[in-house]
Amino acid sequence: MSLYLLPLAAPLLLLVAAVVGFVRSGLRPRLAPVVAESAAFGALLIAMASLALLILRGAGDSGLIGWSGFGLSTRLDAVSAAMLLLVAFVGWIVVRYARTYLDGEARQGYFIGWLCAALAAVLLLVQAGNLVQLVAAWIATSAALHRLLLFYPERVAAQRAARKKRLFSTIGGITLVSAAVLAWISFGTTDIATINALARQGDASWLVVATAAMLALAAVLKSAQFPTHGWLTEVMEAPTPVSALLHAGVINAGGFLLIRFADVMLSAPGVLAVLAMLGGFTALFGALVMLTQPAVKTSLAWSTVAQMGFMILQCGLALFPLALLHIIAHSLYKAHAFLASGGAVEQVAAIRRPGPVAVPDGAAVGRAFLIALAIYAGIGAAFGIAFGFEHKSPQALALGAILIFGVAYLLAQGLADAAPRPLTRKTAIYASAAAIGYFALQTAAEWLTAGVLPATPAPGRLEWTLMVLAVLSFGVVAVAQALFPLWASHPAAAGLRVHLSNGLYANATIDRILGGWSAPKAS
């Protein structure tokens, strides 16, 4: 039997644990939590072994119980190995946390069963070598997540969020099935590696463009892009492990889909342009709304909306290696943030002096942004000299400029008149470290995925326009955020804060359009 079948053992272990959880579904089951944690740890060991296999023997694929591209399959390359390790690690942490978090909870075994089933489906998704397994795992992930979101079925808010999530998941599933059928008709195969190879070599027919459009729509619906983001901010009624699994794992499936079919997506520049615009707007929208949320978990949910928008923006700019890197970094951060959210109130209460150390004026903000961009340009030039300027695409440089705007906010505080000198030095060091980290990680991601993911093509007029708009938009928002203490007391700012805290009422509008999702009023 081929060694490349090894990754398939990880989801099989979790499926066994899921069956044990369903059978031992009574109050405080002893066996199910132990089996689930052991299976999750075993899946992590298998993911580590799969990575070692990739390093020692190179990429490969294999199938089981299948014929002509159908049935169980595994594709082991840099993308699937990274995602396998990520999902297995986060899954083990979440299962381990849930064992204590839900101890003594009614239907604990039921929860463990669906949690393990969801993890198994995600593991089958990220290693899928053919379209049939990809679509089946995609639908199974949504079904398992729906059960987890309704763990407390008596909660009205949970019912509303789950119904809305099911609607968008159903539309996304139908869209993905349509994309799979179009891809099969266009390329004559269901093998994903072959589809990408043919897309890289051939001309983009209307069928290929339609396939890319359907893939993009499925990814947009899965990753909660505006205006379909409402369900993601309403799932806080589920247990904390579900939030961690959703925001650190399942929500990334949309980005993974675009990365896995990167060559197909490059065949449709117009589709990528739409993704860049939609993702950029969602990122800005989510970031602004996040700043107005008083609850910790709700703020984290809006943070996920913003991060998913940024991930889609990266895919729209054809920066697929950076999108993969973003998925890994965001998943690790967000899993920790949700699992540690219970202690956030105590941490905030322990801070004696909340808010910025010093309030910068307009001149300080202007100097801060100029200095941050100068540091970014200098370090970028150094990396260009060391590794070659041809490896630095304009899209990646524009993305780095957007990221450095966040550091400029801290730098502005350091340049304020009331700021102590140590703070000024620290913020300058932070700006330099952020720029070095960005270029180092970008170089590493592109090197590790070389030959698996396509290189970012040279931008055309449309791409240049999108990059300029993105940099200007994020720059304006960053400047407004830095100057916020100066105009926060203005009546117009208070009104804007109210509108932003309600998400500009986009979700309420969707509720009215769809109908039937409004919570019943108390009599």
Side-chain angles (χ1 to χ4, degrees):
M1 183 176 290
S2 172
L3 285 175
Y4 288 104
L5 290 174
L6 175 64
L8 286 173
L12 293 179
L13 277 178
L14 287 163
L15 287 176
V16 171
V19 172
V20 174
F22 292 135
V23 172
R24 302 281 182 172
S25 59
L27 181 63
R28 209 166 205 168
R30 295 182 179 180
L31 182 61
V34 176
V35 173
E37 186 177 342
S38 301
F41 186 69
L44 176 59
L45 294 178
I46 292 171
M48 296 170 65
S50 300
L51 177 61
L53 177 63
L54 175 66
I55 295 173
L56 295 176
R57 299 190 58 172
D61 56 356
S62 187
L64 182 68
I65 318 176
W67 62 95
S68 301
F70 293 85
L72 284 176
S73 63
T74 179
R75 173 67 184 170
L76 186 61
D77 56 20
V79 174
S80 61
M83 293 300 297
L84 275 170
L85 196 58
L86 173 67
V87 174
F89 176 72
V90 172
W92 173 56
I93 296 296
V94 170
V95 171
R96 183 177 176 86
Y97 181 90
R99 178 180 176 181
T100 303
Y101 182 86
L102 290 169
D103 187 30
E105 183 81 29
R107 298 162 61 242
Q108 182 184 5
Y110 173 89
F111 179 88
I112 290 174
W114 283 113
L115 180 63
C116 291
L119 286 171
V122 177
L123 287 171
L124 284 171
L125 173 68
V126 297
Q127 64 180 289
N130 62 64
L131 294 173
V132 177
Q133 179 176 326
L134 180 81
V135 171
W138 181 283
I139 296 173
T141 300
S142 296
L145 180 61
H146 180 78
R147 294 290 184 177
L148 291 172
L149 294 178
L150 285 176
F151 182 68
Y152 298 120
E154 70 280 359
R155 298 183 179 181
V156 176
Q159 295 173 8
R160 181 175 63 243
R163 285 197 296 266
K164 192 182 300 183
K165 170 66 173 64
R166 168 174 279 184
L167 173 66
F168 291 128
S169 295
T170 301
I171 298 174
I174 294 173
T175 304
L176 184 60
V177 170
S178 301
V181 173
L182 288 173
W184 177 54
I185 295 174
S186 302
F187 301 103
T189 179
T190 63
D191 183 74
I192 296 175
T194 304
I195 289 173
N196 277 315
L198 293 174
R200 193 181 307 123
Q201 299 170 2
D203 297 329
S205 64
W206 71 268
L207 278 174
V208 176
V209 174
T211 301
M214 291 294 102
L215 289 171
L217 181 56
V220 163
L221 292 170
K222 194 72 168 183
S223 55
Q225 297 300 287
F226 182 91
T228 66
H229 62 279
W231 65 268
L232 186 60
T233 63
E234 295 178 347
V235 296
M236 297 302 104
E237 295 294 326
T240 296
V242 179
S243 300
L245 176 65
L246 169 61
H247 290 262
V250 177
I251 195 68
N252 295 309
F256 169 77
L257 182 68
L258 297 175
I259 294 169
R260 179 49 86 198
F261 291 94
D263 292 290
V264 177
M265 300 309 301
L266 286 179
S267 302
V271 175
L272 289 179
V274 173
L275 286 175
M277 289 185 285
L278 182 59
F281 178 82
T282 302
L284 288 172
F285 172 72
L288 289 172
V289 176
M290 176 194 68
L291 298 175
T292 65
Q293 301 302 306
V296 174
K297 290 180 70 174
T298 306
S299 179
L300 288 173
W302 280 104
S303 169
T304 300
V305 173
Q307 293 294 333
M308 291 302 99
F310 202 74
M311 177 190 65
I312 294 297
L313 171 64
Q314 291 170 318
C315 293
L317 294 177
L319 296 169
F320 297 106
L322 285 179
L324 178 63
L325 178 64
H326 184 270
I327 287 176
I328 296 172
H330 173 259
S331 296
L332 295 175
Y333 155 71
K334 198 54 64 74
H336 172 268
F338 268 102
L339 296 180
S341 60
V345 176
E346 289 79 4
Q347 295 173 10
V348 173
I351 299 176
R352 296 182 179 179
R353 185 175 55 184
V357 175
V359 178
D361 56 13
V365 171
R367 292 197 306 271
F369 276 79
L370 289 176
I371 292 173
L373 290 174
I375 292 174
Y376 174 73
I379 293 175
F383 269 84
I385 294 173
F387 297 98
F389 286 99
E390 67 276 6
H391 297 296
K392 301 292 177 283
S393 65
Q395 293 94 320
L397 294 174
L399 187 74
I402 292 173
L403 293 173
I404 208 68
F405 287 150
V407 182
Y409 168 73
L410 296 176
L411 195 59
Q413 294 186 23
L415 294 175
D417 294 336
R421 289 186 178 180
L423 178 62
T424 305
R425 290 194 295 269
K426 284 182 179 180
T427 51
I429 293 173
Y430 292 157
S432 301
I436 293 173
Y438 172 74
F439 283 110
L441 291 172
Q442 173 203 348
T443 303
E446 291 176 347
W447 177 72
L448 290 172
T449 58
V452 179
L453 296 178
T456 304
R461 182 178 301 177
L462 176 60
E463 288 75 17
W464 277 109
T465 302
L466 292 174
M467 284 188 288
V468 171
L469 286 175
V471 171
L472 289 177
S473 300
F474 280 90
V476 169
V477 171
V479 170
Q481 181 183 357
L483 293 174
F484 179 77
L486 299 178
W487 53 272
S489 59
H490 193 278
L496 178 61
R497 185 180 184 88
V498 172
H499 298 318
L500 284 175
S501 66
N502 288 281
L504 300 180
Y505 313 103
N507 189 41
T509 303
I510 292 294
D511 284 344
R512 290 194 187 98
I513 293 174
L514 297 178
W517 276 272
S518 299
K521 297 181 180 180
S523 56

